[in-house]
Amino acid sequence: MNKVGILVFVLFSSEFFPFGNSVNVTTRPDVVNIGALFSFNSTVGKVARVAIEAALEDVNSEPGVLNGTKLKLTMQDTNYSGFLGIVEALKLMQNETVAIIGPQLSVTAHLVSHIANELHVPLLSCAATDPALSSLQYRFFVRTTQSDLFQMAAIADIIEYYEWRNVIAVFVDDDHGRNGISVLGDKLEESRAKISYKAPMRPGATRNEITNLLVKVDLMDSRIFVLHTYPDWGLEVLDVAENLGMLGSGYVWIVTDWLSTVLDTYSPVSSNVIANVQGVVTLRMHTPDSKQKTNLVTGWSNLTSRKASNSPFGLSTYGLYAYDTVWLLAHAIDKFFSQGGNISFSKDSRLAQLGLGGGKLPFDALSIFNGGELLLKSISEVNMTGVTGPIKFTSDGYLNHPAYQVINVVGNGYRRIGYWSNYSGLSIVPPEILYRKPPNRSSSTQQLHDVIWPGQTTQKPRGWVFPNNGRELRIGVPNRVVYREFVSLVQGPDTFGGYCIDVFTAALNFLPYALPYKLIPFGDGHNNPKVSDLISQVSAGVYDAAVGDFAITTNRTRMVDFTQPYIESGLVVVAPVRKRNPNEWAFLRPFTPMMWCVTGIFFLVVGVVVWILEHRINDDFRGPPKRQIVTVLWFSFSTLFFSHRERTLSTLGRVVLFIWLFIVLILTSSYTASLTSILTVEQLSSPVKGIDSLISTGDPIGYQRGSFAENYLSEELSIPKSRLVPLNSADDYAKALKDGPKKGGVAAVIDEHAYMELFLSTQCEFSIVGSEFSKMGWGFAFPRDSQLAVDMSTAILKLSENGDLQRIHNKWLKGIACRSQGTKEEVDRLQLNSFWGLFVLCGFACLLALLVYLVQIVVQFARHYPDSEELASSSSGSSRPARIQTFLSFVGEKEEVVVSRSKRRQMERASKRHRSDDGSLSNLNTSVRNEV
């Protein structure tokens, strides 16, 4: 009976004849069969083979790892073939293999994973990086290296860091290449970038095929290339690119980690190879430094010389992960046995029935690993530290803390310019240091060292050039019949002139490349073309761009990209105006009714306050009631002309009067200026005051045919289309406005401010009423995500900064005969809002003066009038009304009278006390005499 039979018997016996709860019957076999699938002659395979064999020796030399059990490894060469990978995997599984390290290639892993699912044999791949292998479909596939999901996220962050928007992906057209680039596209979309073109290569493509592919992509506008392939073919691609001049100045090549694998494996790299990759940016899986890693790296040369038949080679990160994979599997098998797992297999009835023709395939030799589920669980729960650092799986099956080094190939080697991790993004600090801090992915923390780009330049490439393929840009230009100062078709074959054309041609001079183009008229020349139709044809690819007077609106930005606005414009209302002649009441116009009312009230208030403050001490403010009322009114309004005759004697009265005279000075100065403007400047009035009053009238409204004003008025302002009248030319505008609604015309015309300035230059009987009710600008239109739109925007900003934009504006739009005055009545009239601060100051001064005056009166009353007891004794009724009546009488008396009466009373009191004292002395003398 073999060992497997003994194990089955033991399991059967323990199930039906239990020995008791305290007895754990678990037998560890002497040998556990594992397998490995690699392409031995590949860059990754040769390193992985040596690393796996070295790890196997280390595991088997330490009895404490598996407690006496040894791992027996069988390696098979797949030779870059998916079919051979299946055959070799079947061979391994005929030998009761419990786990397979590999496959190396993602293509093979997709195929073999189906077998692993059927036979419950875990696959531990340290080289297959295809993100699709992490799906739930491949339950028994375990990736023991980093997934390309994170590598593509790192590349997307690099592209975002340098603010590029379009990239070209060159990749091998298999599962590995397609799925990786698909993930890259998803990651780029998160940062508002995209893959503008995908250039797939056939696996094993010839040099001619690679050349044809690169020639094609070189004709495109993007200069950012992402190369995702295998090491051997990748070097061929870069060699062809070098020969085609695609590794010169202005180009950017971002290569996945296959290049760093080549540099590590074949170091030092030959001069021919290193010359073809100058300035290339690549990635390398980051593994923190440790004593274990140092020991393996130090002894690597001895391992390769002893185990490899050919010349020694370097240790790449894939070799490190291969070494750790063996240790990971060993720990998992040990845990498998500790949890009661047993090595046993059972036949699959479906496989035994398979056959082909008269013979039979050896499928009956394949068996299902009964402990596969438990071993898979043990693998996912491993938590150890290897040469690549801490090894632990996330709930999604990825290794914890994925990180990469960002490498720039320069000179005879390379330099590390930073790191990337999904914890903190790009940084110049190793990820293991950042793991101790809170995660921070803000743009300010993203950092990389300077890169030496292809062409030996440190200046960041723009990433885009105009394609040098000889094709002219087809630029649509509206063939306008009105406002030809902006765009007009002049004499010559499709020749245009005007303000917009001059801005476009001037901006072209600031582009760092030549831009061949052809202006194509859009429209029949009899009616203004509809701008939205031209914009939609740019979006559809009929035109490569559109140049003209295009307002940048929300609906249009959904179809195309616009440049930086080169002129500001907005919708305005133009209506007929008539001259307002000054009449007999013109002097009332400077102030609004509210302003007149408030000013008059404050005149009276100040007069009353000054009267209160001066009444007790100033004879000018005393007399009969009728005279005092006249005095208050006269004093109040005479201050308007600074001609008041009454003097002010009190300090409080002078303070109040000083503040009031200052306010009067400002009011009279403002009134004079406004009245002068009203009487000397022509005043225009219109029944239409602005867009709100125009909407409320219900009268017809004119607009320029073909402009966006129609949709804006009907959709945004909810004006019925039955009220909107399309007009073609300036003459149509003038006629419709002169006729008015009663004669079949319009009440007003709504158009953009730039157009209306030209219209009003010769039509002075019309004017802009109200203010602009929409703010927008004009720009040139390009297809979505066009880099040319970005470059043209930069050029327009330069035109604005150096003054060329203003000079072009003055050339075409400066000569305007009569300016649009607008309805100035409301502007010239002075509002209360402009003076409310002065009135508040005056009111506060009056109130404060009255409070201080009241305190002074109370103090004087207490000092100069009899005390409350005397008042109470002399009063027959209640003391409080008498006291109030006395106080009011006191307030109305002149201060001199109060003072003299107070002195007289004091003298009388003193005299009474003197007589009282004399009477007391006489009585005392009489008493003394009587006693004597």
Side-chain angles (χ1 to χ4, degrees):
M1 182 180 294
N2 57 20
K3 296 178 179 179
V4 175
I6 296 174
L7 290 175
V8 173
F9 175 77
V10 171
L11 289 174
F12 179 83
S13 301
S14 62
E15 182 177 358
F16 293 96
F17 304 96
F19 297 98
N21 294 332
S22 62
V23 179
N24 182 15
V25 181
T26 300
T27 303
R28 289 177 180 255
D30 295 333
V31 176
V32 174
N33 294 326
I34 62 174
L37 292 174
F38 285 93
S39 297
F40 292 163
N41 293 326
S42 65
T43 301
V44 174
K46 64 172 62 177
V47 175
R49 182 178 184 181
V50 174
I52 290 172
E53 291 177 350
L56 190 68
E57 291 181 1
D58 293 341
V59 168
N60 288 335
S61 63
E62 294 188 17
V65 177
L66 288 172
N67 295 315
T69 300
K70 303 291 185 181
L71 296 180
K72 181 180 178 182
L73 175 67
T74 303
M75 302 188 72
Q76 301 291 348
D77 187 5
T78 60
N79 198 22
Y80 281 113
S81 171
F83 174 73
L84 291 180
I86 296 176
V87 174
E88 299 300 339
L90 292 174
K91 288 183 179 180
L92 290 176
M93 295 179 184
Q94 288 178 357
N95 298 325
E96 298 184 347
T97 302
V98 299
I100 296 176
I101 300 176
Q104 172 188 334
L105 300 179
S106 298
V107 176
T108 307
H110 277 281
L111 299 173
V112 177
S113 292
H114 294 285
I115 302 175
N117 287 345
E118 183 68 24
L119 301 182
H120 295 185
V121 177
L123 301 177
L124 289 80
S125 178
C126 57
T129 57
D130 177 11
L133 289 170
S134 299
S135 66
L136 298 177
Q137 177 185 5
Y138 307 112
R139 291 184 56 246
F140 282 84
F141 178 85
V142 180
R143 194 195 319 273
T144 59
T145 187
Q146 302 297 347
S147 170
D148 280 340
L149 171 69
F150 305 107
Q151 181 171 208
M152 296 307 171
I155 293 176
D157 282 354
I158 293 173
I159 292 171
E160 181 183 12
Y161 176 78
Y162 290 109
E163 299 178 342
W164 295 316
R165 289 292 174 261
N166 292 327
V167 302
I168 294 177
V170 182
F171 59 97
V172 60
D173 193 13
D174 62 6
D175 294 330
H176 170 70
R178 284 191 303 271
N179 295 332
I181 294 301
S182 176
V183 171
L184 175 62
D186 295 339
K187 295 297 181 181
L188 288 175
E189 287 183 0
E190 295 176 4
S191 58
R192 299 181 64 185
K194 70 173 185 178
I195 299 175
S196 59
Y197 184 76
K198 294 182 179 180
M201 295 184 300
R202 180 179 62 85
T206 64
R207 188 175 182 88
N208 286 336
E209 292 173 338
I210 295 174
T211 301
N212 293 335
L213 180 67
L214 293 186
V215 168
K216 181 179 180 180
V217 299
D218 194 34
L219 295 176
M220 299 178 182
D221 53 1
S222 179
R223 286 295 178 265
I224 313 299
F225 297 95
V226 175
L227 180 57
H228 183 48
T229 181
Y230 299 108
D232 299 335
W233 299 326
L235 292 176
E236 186 75 12
V237 172
L238 292 177
D239 182 51
V240 173
E242 172 65 22
N243 293 334
L244 293 176
M246 297 175 64
L247 279 165
S249 179
Y251 288 85
V252 175
W253 285 85
I254 302 177
V255 178
T256 49
D257 61 356
W258 63 262
L259 180 57
S260 63
T261 302
V262 171
L263 298 177
D264 292 337
T265 304
Y266 301 107
S267 180
V269 183
S270 66
S271 58
N272 292 334
V273 173
I274 203 69
N276 294 336
V277 293
Q278 291 295 302
V280 172
V281 174
T282 186
L283 300 177
R284 174 201 281 153
M285 288 182 286
H286 175 68
T287 56
D289 294 332
S290 63
K291 183 177 180 181
Q292 293 174 275
K293 177 181 174 181
T294 302
N295 293 337
L296 181 60
V297 172
T298 303
W300 182 256
S301 58
N302 294 330
L303 290 174
T304 55
S305 61
R306 179 165 53 90
K307 295 181 177 296
S309 58
N310 50 6
S311 60
F313 42 83
L315 175 61
S316 66
T317 52
Y318 284 102
L320 297 176
Y321 279 105
Y323 183 88
D324 277 349
T325 300
V326 177
W327 279 91
L328 184 152
L329 180 58
H331 284 289
I333 292 175
D334 178 65
K335 188 173 183 179
F336 169 78
F337 288 132
S338 299
Q339 293 178 345
N342 289 276
I343 306 298
S344 63
F345 294 85
S346 59
K347 296 297 182 179
D348 190 335
S349 59
R350 293 177 298 175
L351 294 177
Q353 297 174 1
L354 292 177
L356 182 62
K360 291 185 178 180
L361 293 175
F363 290 128
D364 55 348
L366 300 177
S367 302
I368 297 176
F369 177 31
N370 296 326
E373 294 281 357
L374 181 59
L375 179 58
L376 181 64
K377 181 175 180 295
S378 300
I379 293 173
S380 64
E381 294 174 352
V382 168
N383 188 0
M384 56 171 278
T385 300
V387 295
T388 59
I391 298 176
K392 184 179 180 180
F393 291 100
T394 66
S395 58
D396 297 327
Y398 300 113
L399 288 178
N400 203 21
H401 291 317
Y404 287 85
Q405 298 176 9
V406 185
I407 294 173
N408 180 208
V409 182
V410 180
N412 295 325
Y414 54 84
R415 51 191 288 266
R416 185 175 58 240
I417 60 173
Y419 302 88
W420 178 91
S421 70
N422 68 332
Y423 185 80
S424 56
L426 298 172
S427 69
I428 58 176
V429 180
E432 53 268 21
I433 296 177
L434 298 177
Y435 293 150
R436 307 169 193 166
K437 304 177 181 179
N440 188 354
R441 296 293 296 267
S442 63
S443 58
S444 60
T445 62
Q446 304 299 292
Q447 283 184 301
L448 288 176
H449 292 298
D450 291 338
V451 178
I452 299 179
W453 303 101
Q456 300 299 309
T457 178
T458 57
Q459 183 178 3
K460 185 194 77 171
R462 184 175 58 253
W464 182 89
V465 295
F466 184 75
N468 187 22
N469 56 7
R471 187 178 68 87
E472 293 180 330
L473 280 184
R474 292 173 50 85
I475 299 179
V477 182
N479 187 9
R480 299 192 60 88
V481 297
V482 65
Y483 305 128
R484 297 172 62 85
E485 290 85 353
F486 293 104
V487 179
S488 61
L489 185 63
V490 298
Q491 295 297 329
D494 299 339
T495 304
F496 286 86
Y499 170 73
C500 300
I501 303 301
D502 280 6
V503 172
F504 175 71
T505 55
L508 292 181
N509 296 329
F510 285 96
L511 295 181
Y513 45 83
L515 184 69
Y517 66 92
K518 181 181 180 181
L519 301 179
I520 303 173
F522 180 80
D524 56 11
H526 301 290
N527 296 298
N528 286 330
K530 196 169 184 179
V531 175
S532 298
D533 293 341
L534 177 56
I535 297 298
S536 62
Q537 292 200 21
V538 174
S539 176
V542 178
Y543 296 106
D544 299 310
V547 172
D549 45 349
F550 308 137
I552 303 174
T553 64
T554 303
N555 290 335
R556 292 174 181 176
T557 55
R558 294 191 180 104
M559 296 186 290
V560 296
D561 282 349
F562 285 94
T563 62
Q564 173 79 16
Y566 58 86
I567 188 173
E568 297 297 327
S569 186
L571 291 177
V572 294
V573 178
V574 173
V577 293
R578 60 181 177 85
K579 184 177 180 181
R580 178 190 290 272
N581 296 319
N583 56 21
E584 63 275 11
W585 301 105
F587 67 92
L588 295 176
R589 290 186 192 170
F591 287 168
T592 62
M594 179 61 69
M595 184 68 183
W596 279 117
C597 293
V598 174
T599 303
I601 291 173
F602 265 86
F603 270 108
L604 296 176
V605 168
V606 171
V608 172
V609 170
V610 172
W611 176 82
I612 293 174
L613 299 176
E614 297 288 327
H615 176 67
R616 300 185 69 248
I617 62 175
N618 194 339
D619 290 336
D620 292 341
F621 291 90
R622 297 190 63 80
K626 182 177 180 180
R627 178 189 173 189
Q628 294 185 48
I629 293 174
V630 172
T631 299
V632 169
L633 294 176
W634 169 254
F635 176 82
S636 299
F637 291 100
S638 63
T639 56
L640 177 63
F641 310 102
F642 304 96
S643 60
H644 49 284
R645 296 175 301 176
E646 293 78 10
R647 299 173 300 163
T648 52
L649 301 179
S650 66
T651 302
L652 293 176
R654 291 175 177 176
V655 170
V656 171
L657 185 60
F658 173 79
I659 295 175
W660 175 244
L661 291 179
F662 172 73
I663 295 174
V664 169
L665 176 63
I666 295 177
L667 291 176
T668 54
S669 300
S670 303
Y671 175 87
T672 303
S674 179
L675 182 61
T676 302
S677 174
I678 291 174
L679 296 178
T680 58
V681 178
E682 182 181 53
Q683 297 295 303
L684 302 177
S685 65
S686 172
V688 179
K689 304 302 181 183
I691 184 62
D692 293 332
S693 65
L694 180 61
I695 294 175
S696 63
T697 61
D699 293 331
I701 302 172
Y703 68 93
Q704 182 185 165
R705 186 188 299 273
S707 71
F708 75 97
E710 179 184 9
N711 290 336
Y712 184 88
L713 296 175
S714 62
E715 296 177 4
E716 299 296 331
L717 301 183
S718 300
I719 299 177
K721 289 190 176 183
S722 59
R723 292 181 56 189
L724 303 180
V725 179
L727 302 172
N728 284 326
S729 64
D731 294 337
D732 293 342
Y733 282 14
K735 184 178 183 304
L737 288 172
K738 289 178 181 178
D739 292 344
K742 295 181 179 179
K743 296 182 180 181
V746 296
V749 171
I750 293 179
D751 207 343
E752 297 185 58
H753 191 276
Y755 297 140
M756 290 296 95
E757 280 191 346
L758 288 177
F759 173 71
L760 296 175
S761 65
T762 57
Q763 303 288 340
C764 296
E765 64 269 34
F766 311 114
S767 179
I768 296 175
V769 295
S771 58
E772 291 184 357
F773 57 90
S774 69
K775 296 291 184 180
M776 60 194 65
W778 289 357
F780 304 136
F782 293 89
R784 295 296 300 270
D785 301 320
S786 171
Q787 287 296 327
L788 183 56
V790 177
D791 288 352
M792 286 294 291
S793 294
T794 304
I796 290 172
L797 289 175
K798 292 180 180 178
L799 287 177
S800 177
E801 292 169 357
N802 64 15
D804 288 347
L805 198 59
Q806 184 62 41
R807 284 189 284 272
I808 298 173
H809 181 276
N810 296 339
K811 171 185 174 182
W812 290 97
L813 309 176
K814 191 68 173 179
I816 298 177
C818 54
R819 295 284 182 178
S820 55
Q821 297 92 342
T823 306
K824 298 183 62 180
E825 179 185 2
E826 294 300 325
V827 177
D828 292 332
R829 302 190 76 177
L830 299 175
Q831 306 285 335
L832 179 61
N833 293 337
S834 303
F835 301 96
W836 71 270
L838 293 175
F839 289 121
V840 169
L841 176 63
C842 181
F844 177 75
C846 293
L847 181 61
L848 182 62
L850 291 176
L851 290 176
V852 173
Y853 177 74
L854 178 62
V855 172
Q856 292 177 348
I857 289 296
V858 172
V859 172
Q860 290 180 5
F861 178 73
R863 185 171 69 247
H864 296 295
Y865 213 81
D867 56 19
S868 58
E869 294 180 0
E870 183 178 350
L871 288 172
S873 62
S874 62
S875 175
S876 59
S878 173
S879 63
R880 184 176 298 274
R883 189 181 306 113
I884 295 176
Q885 183 178 2
T886 304
F887 178 75
L888 294 177
S889 301
F890 171 78
V891 171
E893 292 180 321
K894 191 173 182 180
E895 187 173 343
E896 294 179 357
V897 175
V898 174
V899 172
S900 62
R901 184 172 65 243
S902 178
K903 290 181 179 180
R904 186 171 63 254
R905 288 180 177 178
Q906 290 178 1
M907 293 176 62
E908 291 175 354
R909 290 174 182 172
S911 176
K912 289 180 179 180
R913 286 197 299 269
H914 180 70
R915 288 195 300 269
S916 176
D917 292 342
D918 291 342
S920 301
L921 181 60
S922 175
N923 294 333
L924 179 61
N925 292 332
T926 302
S927 300
V928 172
R929 286 195 300 270
N930 293 332
E931 291 177 1
V932 175

